Amino acid sequence: VERARAAGPGDPVVAPVVRGLLAGASVPDVADAVGLGERQLRRRALAAFGYGPKVLQRVLRFQRALGAVRAGVPAAEAAVDAGYADQAHMAHEMRKLAGVPLGGLVGPND
């Protein structure tokens, strides 16, 4: 709690950046929407998330697809709905981001 108080208020562009990327907007479009250049957006994203906006976009897409699969949506459908080119693209990205294949992320009860 003390560290949070010492850090002060969060960056006001964080929420609109996340909303824009969740909505499927491109990084340049999100930068324009929040009134920043792409380099400034990258610096602000690094400070807020620990990685740039493109990686954040990949993580959010990953989470959206994984949530859909865990909710019972077939993997191929979840992949396309989340914005992947196909199921193989999703599987590759999930392995790259999580270090395990989709089957390792979805338990037997999911």
Side-chain angles (χ1 to χ4, degrees), residues 4-42:
R5 282 190 199 134
D11 190 334
V13 303
V14 167
V17 165
V18 171
R19 279 193 303 272
L21 294 174
L22 277 172
S26 69
V27 171
D29 288 345
V30 170
D32 286 344
V34 297
L36 298 174
E38 288 183 59
R39 288 177 60 180
Q40 183 64 26
L41 175 61
R42 178 167 172 66

Side-chain angles (χ1 to χ4, degrees), residues 6-103:
D11 190 334
V13 303
V14 167
V17 165
V18 171
R19 279 193 303 272
L21 294 174
L22 277 172
S26 69
V27 171
D29 288 345
V30 170
D32 286 344
V34 297
L36 298 174
E38 288 183 59
R39 288 177 60 180
Q40 183 64 26
L41 175 61
R42 178 167 172 66
R43 284 192 292 275
R44 303 269 287 266
L46 284 170
F49 306 111
Y51 39 76
K54 191 64 181 168
V55 173
L56 175 61
Q57 187 177 49
R58 290 174 58 207
V59 168
L60 294 171
R61 180 173 59 181
F62 166 91
Q63 291 175 336
R64 190 168 52 248
L66 182 59
V69 170
R70 286 181 170 165
V73 176
E77 184 179 334
V80 172
D81 289 348
Y84 292 102
D86 55 26
Q87 185 176 344
H89 179 212
M90 177 181 76
H92 176 78
E93 279 285 294
M94 286 189 167
R95 184 182 293 269
K96 196 167 186 178
L97 287 170
V100 295
L102 178 59

